[in-house]
Amino acid sequence: MRRIEYLAGLPAAEAEELAAVSELRKYTDGTPVFSQGETIPGVFVVVQGALKVFRTDGRGKVQVIDILQPGTCVGEVQVFDGGVAASGAEAHGDTECWLVPANALRLMAVKNNAVAMCMIQHFAGKVRHLISLVETLSLHSVPERVGQLILEYQGRNPGRALVEFKETQEDLAQCIGASREAFSRALRLLADLGLIQSTFPVVRILDIQKLQRYARG
């Protein structure tokens, strides 16, 4: 449980209590973990692989909200508001998740102020992430969004100029609200501007400061 970002500060007793009632679930690549609009049993914590979290309009249009890496989770909003899932999730590669039951988490938050504070801080971070997503989609061009995405991935290994994507261009385009064709054109534009060198899925950042300025618009 200490690997979960928003529960990292749990006392040992509470961490052990949650671990004892949690269930390890395994999914093959592309397997749905839960669907938009259904009731889910708890919080899914990624242990291995990744989860693609997305919304769909039911007509084939998809907006990827996040691609969750090990240590991150989804489902906590539904656990505490009692509603149905606002998004769907599917395994991105062979994936393992701990399922932390909703009732156990709610009871622990009621009994322990430290746990409740962890939840509040986590939800605040979720709101910030969604505000950033809205800003990206509404105020920036597709090439600027692609630049931001490259910088986000590079930030996970800040000492490297090479970024190697595990996702397809289709997946990444859905993350920034664009088509695969528009994503590909944006890569070519950034390369023509001398900001990157692209042999997708590998992208080399040629001038990080100029790319940062460009991505900010």
Side-chain angles (χ1 to χ4, degrees):
M1 291 302 128
R2 294 179 186 278
R3 293 182 61 189
I4 308 174
E5 290 180 355
Y6 76 107
L7 294 181
L10 273 182
E14 281 73 9
E16 290 175 7
E17 182 181 337
L18 281 182
V21 297
S22 297
E23 172 191 348
L24 185 64
R25 295 190 174 186
K26 299 182 179 183
Y27 306 91
T28 56
D29 183 37
T31 301
V33 176
F34 58 83
S35 299
Q36 184 176 317
E38 74 176 34
T39 301
I40 59 177
V43 174
F44 292 85
V45 183
V46 183
V47 178
Q48 179 178 308
L51 284 185
K52 182 167 76 171
V53 182
F54 60 92
R55 279 186 62 84
T56 175
D57 64 358
R59 296 173 293 177
K61 203 175 233 183
V62 175
Q63 171 65 57
V64 174
I65 298 171
D66 212 345
I67 297 179
L68 300 178
Q69 304 299 319
T72 57
C73 59
V74 65
E76 60 274 41
V77 173
Q78 291 72 39
V79 163
F80 286 96
D81 75 1
V84 297
S87 58
E90 67 179 37
H92 196 67
D94 291 339
T95 300
E96 296 182 2
C97 295
W98 281 108
L99 171 60
V100 184
N103 286 338
L105 204 50
R106 282 195 295 264
L107 286 173
M108 187 172 290
V110 169
K111 293 189 299 182
N112 190 308
N113 289 337
V115 175
M117 183 56 67
C118 284
M119 304 295 176
I120 292 169
Q121 291 172 342
H122 178 70
F123 286 132
K126 285 271 185 178
V127 171
R128 289 183 182 276
H129 170 72
L130 291 175
I131 290 173
S132 175
L133 181 61
V134 170
E135 177 190 347
T136 296
L137 295 177
S138 60
L139 301 180
H140 292 274
S141 67
V142 172
E144 289 168 356
R145 294 179 221 167
V146 173
Q148 291 174 3
L149 192 65
I150 292 169
L151 290 168
E152 177 188 337
Y153 276 66
Q154 188 272 341
R156 299 174 187 176
N157 295 285
R160 299 187 62 194
L162 277 181
V163 175
E164 185 168 359
F165 291 104
K166 296 179 181 178
E167 298 80 13
T168 65
Q169 288 196 26
E170 182 72 28
D171 287 330
L172 294 170
Q174 290 174 351
C175 286
I176 60 169
S179 67
R180 187 192 63 77
E181 292 77 12
F183 184 91
S184 182
R185 287 196 299 271
L187 284 177
R188 290 197 296 271
L189 175 61
L190 295 177
D192 290 343
L193 292 173
L195 303 177
I196 65 169
Q197 184 181 66
S198 176
T199 53
F200 193 87
V202 177
V203 172
R204 178 184 293 276
I205 300 173
L206 300 178
D207 191 321
I208 192 166
Q209 292 181 341
K210 286 184 179 178
L211 181 60
Q212 289 169 339
R213 288 196 296 271
Y214 182 89
R216 288 196 296 266

